[in-house]
Amino acid sequence: MKKADTPKVVARLLPKVLKQHGKNFIVGWHNPNRSQDEPRYEYWLTKLNRKNSGFSQIEVSEVNITYTDFWGFDHVSETLRKHIEVAMALILVTAAIIVDLRNNGDGSIDRLTRRYLFDNPSLSNSIY
């Protein structure tokens, strides 16, 4: 394994090591002196806010089944509430729902979403 002797090298190598134990680890390194040529990585919540709070695709099939690709969980905000309201208005009028979480890094179904999907929106997950 390559020697991690600078913060930039650590930030590049550490996610590869951590992903062996779980795909939900994220490591970043911010260089306040970076050149304009270096790529800048977008903060996760900024990206979610810009990209419909994680709803990337909602499609209704000819047999009235909704497929929803949901790649991220946003922080609770007025923007998230609006995105969930619009998404659920499309989703809940169909006969069945498929929620694709394969590209979702981590998170839980927010209480705002659970109330649309379950009669008794109790605890949906626990982390220990």
Side-chain angles (χ1 to χ4, degrees):
M1 177 175 258
K2 184 177 178 179
K3 184 178 179 183
D5 53 2
T6 68
K8 189 173 185 176
V9 173
V10 170
R12 191 175 70 245
L13 295 176
L14 189 56
K16 294 175 184 175
V17 173
L18 293 174
K19 284 188 188 264
Q20 297 171 9
H21 305 284
K23 68 177 187 173
N24 299 327
F25 292 105
I26 298 171
V27 177
W29 177 69
H30 172 70
N31 178 4
N33 302 317
R34 76 176 176 83
S35 73
Q36 294 299 321
D37 298 332
E38 285 185 68
R40 184 175 182 134
Y41 296 98
E42 187 174 18
Y43 180 57
W44 178 255
L45 292 177
T46 303
K47 183 177 180 180
L48 280 166
N49 191 44
R50 181 175 60 80
K51 295 187 116 192
N52 299 317
S53 299
F55 291 96
S56 63
Q57 180 181 357
I58 299 175
E59 182 178 321
V60 181
S61 73
E62 290 182 20
V63 292
N64 203 26
I65 297 174
T66 301
Y67 168 82
T68 304
D69 187 0
F70 187 68
W71 61 268
F73 289 94
D74 203 348
H75 63 288
V76 176
S77 66
E78 193 56 37
T79 300
L80 173 63
R81 290 180 212 283
K82 289 177 184 176
H83 287 152
I84 289 174
E85 187 176 311
V86 169
M88 292 303 160
L90 293 169
I91 291 169
L92 294 178
V93 296
T94 59
I97 304 167
I98 299 170
V99 180
D100 188 345
L101 297 173
R102 289 178 293 176
N103 296 314
N104 189 287
D106 193 12
S108 64
I109 296 176
D110 182 85
R111 64 180 169 77
L112 299 172
T113 308
R114 286 194 315 250
R115 72 184 183 103
Y116 287 99
L117 300 175
F118 304 105
D119 290 334
N120 183 10
S122 60
L123 181 67
S124 62
N125 73 344
S126 294
I127 299 173
Y128 296 98

